Amino acid sequence: MSEQGNDQIDEQQLIAYITSKTKASEADVKLVLKHEMTFINNAQENAAGEVEVDSDELVDYILKQRDVKLDELTVETILDLEMEYLMDQGVAGYID
């Protein structure tokens, strides 16, 4: 999450939610979310002005970052829990 993210989301609550359901540290969760935001911010918009994110590409991108020392399953779990939290808050969803 970032400063330009959705104002409805409390980043500390999101991080607490994720860390309560994983063995990842708060620092690891913040790092994954930081790299996720960089990936999304650099993604190309489609004709409708939306950014479509391939989850496999996102996970690969995060795992390639030098400061990330997590395994693939942990990164995927953090991202899945982030989406679960955002969907519970009513600010995100999946597009078919």
Side-chain angles (χ1 to χ4, degrees), residues 30-74:
K30 285 181 177 180
L31 188 60
V32 169
L33 297 179
K34 178 187 88 157
H35 287 306
E36 174 194 28
M37 215 19 119
T38 300
F39 181 86
I40 291 170
N41 287 338
N42 290 330
Q44 296 296 314
E45 293 181 356
N46 64 18
E50 299 170 338
V51 174
E52 293 182 24
V53 176
D54 180 285
S55 60
D56 292 332
E57 290 178 12
L58 173 58
V59 171
D60 289 345
Y61 171 83
I62 292 170
L63 289 172
K64 288 179 184 174
Q65 303 311 303
R66 290 181 167 207
D67 53 352
V68 175
K69 306 293 185 224
L70 302 170
D71 60 81
E72 183 175 353
L73 182 59
T74 302

Side-chain angles (χ1 to χ4, degrees), residues 74-91:
T74 302
V75 171
E76 287 176 350
T77 302
I78 290 169
L79 295 172
D80 288 346
L81 287 168
E82 177 196 22
M83 185 56 117
E84 182 178 296
Y85 178 85
L86 295 175
M87 287 173 49
D88 288 348
Q89 298 298 312
V91 295

